[in-house]
């Protein structure tokens, strides 16, 4: 049952929403639907976040970066406990304003560097590398299927391709002896610590990994000899608005923004797209016949209907009103991007998967406005190459989790946490 909050400070759902539960992660659509129709700006006491669920309202927020700032985007959603904080303090863990958490005047210059590194031209030039990396990871999938009969794609190919691609594109691949599996483990730990609900012991473990990630980035930021054209070279040459060079912590912040955003989200998008494509044998066949165009259109639907960055935060710089709800200054908002993508006011047949729909790219899966994703073309390319190659190479692939896959239980990221696949002919 939906009720209106007696305080008048926004409507509330009569039933509590547990944003961290498996029930919500596996099927958030009924909750979004209830929110949109009865409490489109709803205060969630458990997280102290205002949940914004309508496409139209979210667009307004994203386009008004003076009223709705992003300074809170990289704070842990739930407070971290002392033991975890102490572990992080030991390495001086600190993420100063970079991109995701920067509403100040240094944002534009830093964003310019990233836009150049991931321009459409650079993505085109990177395609042969993306295809090579994808083919190599699919070789490993084939071998695993032959030996084991089944394989978890979420923790193998889907996870490894984006991190390898990202390290190559940033020019970090040859600079470090740390292997890709370790970097992926660190970035996973970081998002679980900051966007999950964890107990004290889990927090300690995750804080240790996040600190190792941070210490590794500090070492990279202090390297004196870096390849021309690499991200580190661009950051070393960059000057902040006051004319000063970037500090080590600022360089680390940009690198961590890019490694986490550029790897985790794309891995999750690949897993979700594959999961949905395998749910329908007709779609899997259509992908085999349809080539890269079909794969691209399918990925776009995944980004609309189930984007990996499922919700993102903002904070009000002053008192304001959103959809009739009064928000105080410093109100923290959670913009439910998945809800926007399945809003019937914005999309026809919103929960259906309809590749080539007219509204194609008009979703908020990559955000909008000042902070819109600069990695969108890269993510699309990786998704398209993966689905196209996988469908042609494994025509008999099928999902092997009898009850459907489990999903990550995180506030801002959503994807299958495991995606078991096998072949119908057993090969
Ligand atoms: C499927 C994959 C991806 C999804 C769903 C996604 C989603 C998003 C969204 C929704 C935003 C807007 C955040 C906001 O408004 O504050 C964003 C920003 C950003 N994304 Fe992506 N992203 C993806 C892939 C990538 C990749 C591959 C990169 C690496 C190049 C990247 C780097 C960034 C950065 C640096 C920002 C912050 C931009 C700024 O604040 O100016 N993302 N992303």
């Amino acid at each position: 049952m939906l009720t209106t909050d007696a305080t008048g400070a926004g409507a509330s759902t009569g039933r509590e929403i547990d944003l961290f539960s498996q029930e919500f992660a596996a099927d958030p659509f009924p909750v979004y639907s209830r929110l949109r129709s009865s409490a489109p700006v709803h205060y969630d006491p458990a997280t102290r976040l205002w949940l914004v669920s309508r496409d139209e309202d979210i667009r307004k927020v994203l386009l008004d970066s003076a009223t709705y700032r992003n300074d809170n985007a990289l704070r842990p959603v739930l407070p971290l406990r002392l033991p975890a904080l102490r572990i992080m303090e030991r390495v001086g863990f600190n993420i100063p304003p970079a991109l995701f958490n920067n509403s100040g005047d240094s944002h534009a210059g830093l964003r310019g560097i990233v836009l150049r590194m991931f321009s459409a031209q650079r993505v085109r030039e990177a395609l042969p590398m993306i295809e090579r990396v994808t083919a190599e990871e699919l070789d490993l999938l084939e071998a695993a299927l032959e030996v084991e009969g089944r394989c978890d794609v979420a923790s193998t190919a889907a996870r490894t391709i984006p991190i390898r691609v990202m390290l190559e594109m940033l020019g970090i691949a040859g600079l470090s002896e740390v292997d890709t599996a370790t970097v992926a483990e660190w970035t996973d730990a970081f998002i679980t610590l900051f966007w999950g609900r964890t107990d004290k012991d889990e927090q300690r473990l995750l804080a240790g990994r996040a600190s190792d990630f941070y210490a590794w980035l500090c070492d990279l930021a202090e390297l004196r000899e870096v390849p021309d054209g690499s991200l580190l070279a661009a950051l070393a040459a960059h000057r902040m608005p006051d004319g000063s060079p970037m500090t080590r912590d600022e360089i680390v912040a940009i690198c961590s923004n890019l490694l986490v955003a550029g790897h985790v989200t794309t891995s999750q998008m690949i897993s979700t797209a594959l999961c949905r494509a395998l749910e329908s044998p007709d779609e899997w066949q259509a992908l085999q016949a349809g080539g890269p165009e079909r794969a691209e259109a399918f990925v776009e639907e995944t980004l609309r209907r189930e984007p990996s960055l499922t919700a993102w935060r903002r904070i009000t710089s002053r008192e304001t009103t959103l959809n009739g709800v009064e928000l105080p200054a410093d109100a923290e908002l959670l913009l439910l991007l998945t809800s926007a993508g399945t809003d019937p006011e914005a999309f026809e047949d919103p929960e259906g998967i309809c590749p080539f729909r007219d509204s194609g790219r008009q979703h908020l899966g990559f955000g909008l406005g000042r902070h819109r994703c600069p990695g969108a073309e890269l993510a699309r390319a990786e998704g398209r190459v993966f689905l196209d190659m996988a469908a042609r190479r494994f025509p008999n692939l099928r999902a092997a989790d009898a009850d459907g896959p489990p999903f990550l239980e995180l506030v801002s990221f959503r994807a299958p946490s495991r995606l078991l696949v096998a072949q119908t002919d057993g090969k």
Side-chain angles (χ1 to χ4, degrees):
M1 263 300 282
L2 288 149
T3 59
T4 302
D5 185 359
T7 66
S12 69
T13 59
R15 242 177 27 220
E16 287 303 315
I17 300 169
D18 184 354
L19 295 171
F20 301 93
S21 69
Q22 184 56 220
E23 187 192 356
F24 177 69
D27 184 13
F29 301 109
V31 172
Y32 291 147
S33 172
R34 288 207 309 274
L35 284 171
R36 278 191 311 262
S37 58
S38 304
V41 181
H42 162 74
Y43 185 70
D44 175 47
T47 53
R48 301 185 181 181
L49 292 167
W50 293 85
L51 311 183
V52 184
S53 48
R54 285 194 190 161
D55 178 88
E56 193 186 350
D57 293 336
I58 296 179
R59 282 176 200 269
K60 266 188 206 145
V61 171
L62 290 173
L63 291 174
D64 181 358
S65 56
T67 309
Y68 302 98
R69 296 164 62 99
N70 71 352
D71 308 319
N72 61 338
L74 299 185
R75 291 181 197 155
V77 173
L78 298 176
L80 299 184
R81 293 164 192 242
L82 218 53
L85 290 173
R86 286 214 185 96
I87 292 171
M88 294 161 79
E89 256 170 42
R90 269 184 235 136
V91 292
F93 198 104
N94 172 30
I95 309 183
L99 292 162
F100 277 106
N101 56 346
N102 190 352
S103 43
D105 59 359
S106 61
H107 173 261
L110 295 170
R111 182 173 166 87
I113 296 176
V114 176
L115 284 171
R116 284 191 289 281
M117 290 223 71
F118 296 96
S119 66
Q121 165 80 7
R122 292 243 8 210
V123 173
R124 267 195 302 279
E125 287 164 9
L127 262 185
M129 179 271 290
I130 297 171
E131 286 165 358
R132 171 178 54 78
V133 167
T134 307
E136 286 170 8
E137 294 299 326
L138 292 181
D139 286 344
L140 296 177
L141 173 61
E142 187 174 334
L145 290 172
E146 263 172 33
V147 176
E148 311 279 340
R150 51 171 52 196
C151 179
D152 172 16
V153 178
S155 64
T156 54
R159 189 168 190 238
T160 318
I161 294 166
I163 191 75
R164 287 182 61 187
V165 167
M166 190 48 52
L167 292 174
E168 285 282 344
M169 286 198 77
L170 295 180
I172 295 178
L175 297 180
S176 163
E177 288 182 1
V178 171
D179 59 34
T180 50
T182 305
V183 181
E185 190 174 75
W186 287 338
T187 50
D188 281 349
F190 178 72
I191 65 163
T192 310
L193 187 64
F194 277 56
W195 285 276
R197 179 169 58 198
T198 46
D199 66 24
K200 201 165 68 180
D201 292 337
E202 280 172 297
Q203 281 195 10
R204 268 209 210 101
L205 178 80
L206 297 169
R209 289 183 184 160
S211 300
D212 288 345
F213 178 45
Y214 184 82
W216 174 68
L217 291 175
C218 289
D219 288 347
L220 284 178
E222 281 169 355
L223 286 176
R224 287 288 147 254
E225 307 223 337
V226 290
D228 287 345
S230 66
L231 173 73
L232 291 169
L235 297 178
H238 184 67
R239 292 294 170 267
M240 298 299 263
D242 65 0
S244 63
M246 292 178 73
T247 63
R248 185 201 68 178
D249 283 0
E250 286 164 346
I251 294 178
V252 167
I254 293 283
C255 294
S256 71
N257 275 202
L258 281 170
L259 279 171
V260 175
H263 153 237
V264 168
T265 50
T266 311
S267 302
Q268 294 169 348
M269 176 194 69
I270 290 174
S271 292
T272 305
L274 181 63
C275 171
R276 297 307 175 213
L278 291 178
E279 274 173 2
S280 149
D282 287 351
E283 183 55 52
W284 197 240
Q285 265 185 6
L287 283 165
Q288 287 150 41
E293 291 78 22
R294 179 93 194 175
E296 185 167 297
F298 194 85
V299 165
E300 209 59 48
E301 274 294 84
T302 307
L303 287 161
R304 174 191 63 80
R305 186 178 177 270
E306 297 179 276
S308 30
L309 212 62
T310 190
W312 206 241
R313 276 172 293 171
R314 287 291 190 268
I315 184 165
T316 52
S317 60
R318 57 176 177 85
E319 278 179 24
T320 189
T321 305
L322 183 61
N323 199 344
V325 175
E326 285 175 22
L327 299 171
D330 294 328
E332 300 211 41
L333 273 55
L334 187 68
L335 310 178
L336 302 172
L337 302 175
T338 307
S339 176
T342 47
D343 185 342
E345 295 290 322
F347 299 97
E348 258 178 52
D349 185 13
E351 287 183 31
I353 301 177
C354 318
F356 303 114
R357 66 165 66 226
D358 286 346
S359 48
R361 291 186 164 195
Q362 288 160 28
H363 54 76
L364 297 177
F366 287 121
L368 184 70
R370 191 177 187 222
H371 297 280
R372 189 182 179 278
C373 181
E377 289 317 307
L378 176 62
R380 285 183 167 121
E382 289 183 66
R384 179 185 70 230
V385 168
F386 178 87
L387 261 197
D388 179 41
M389 276 192 178
R392 283 188 288 115
R393 202 160 154 178
F394 302 102
N396 298 321
L397 205 65
R398 62 175 173 84
D401 254 314
D403 303 323
F407 277 74
L408 293 168
E409 295 166 344
L410 302 174
V411 160
S412 285
F413 299 86
R414 179 169 178 273
S417 52
R418 183 188 66 214
L419 184 60
L420 283 180
V421 297
Q423 307 220 64
T424 41
D425 54 7
K427 283 186 214 145

